[in-house]
Amino acid sequence: MLVSLLIVNLVARTTQGVTIRAFGGQVRQFGLIVEFGFLPRFFIDRTDIPTMDRRGQLYCYAAPLVSRLWLWSG
């Protein structure tokens, strides 16, 4: 179960990072953090999203949700 959570989180964050880069932003950090002392999660730097136009912001914020829906339907 932990491995599947890691895979879903990795795909969601990678998709969001690719979307940020596609709309001209930069992802300065990508890494792994531990939440609640035992749950590893991936993170990306999202500071460039508010500087984008409305369309870019919507796509960047929706990318993780769409990737999770795609994984679930698969």
Side-chain angles (χ1 to χ4, degrees):
M1 184 171 157
L2 185 62
V3 173
S4 65
L5 288 174
L6 279 172
I7 291 171
V8 169
N9 186 252
L10 176 64
V11 169
R13 295 297 157 219
T14 305
T15 305
Q16 189 173 30
V18 168
T19 308
I20 291 170
R21 291 289 298 155
F23 282 97
Q26 285 195 351
V27 179
R28 292 174 187 84
Q29 292 181 347
F30 178 81
L32 188 68
I33 59 173
V34 178
E35 288 184 1
F36 306 118
F38 65 93
L39 185 62
R41 306 283 291 183
F42 290 96
F43 74 94
I44 62 166
D45 177 38
R46 298 180 290 203
T47 57
D48 279 359
I49 294 177
T51 62
M52 295 179 184
D53 61 338
R54 179 173 165 72
R55 182 173 177 251
Q57 287 180 5
L58 290 175
Y59 272 89
C60 290
Y61 286 130
L65 177 63
V66 172
S67 67
R68 286 183 181 112
L69 288 172
W70 181 80
L71 285 170
W72 183 74
S73 67

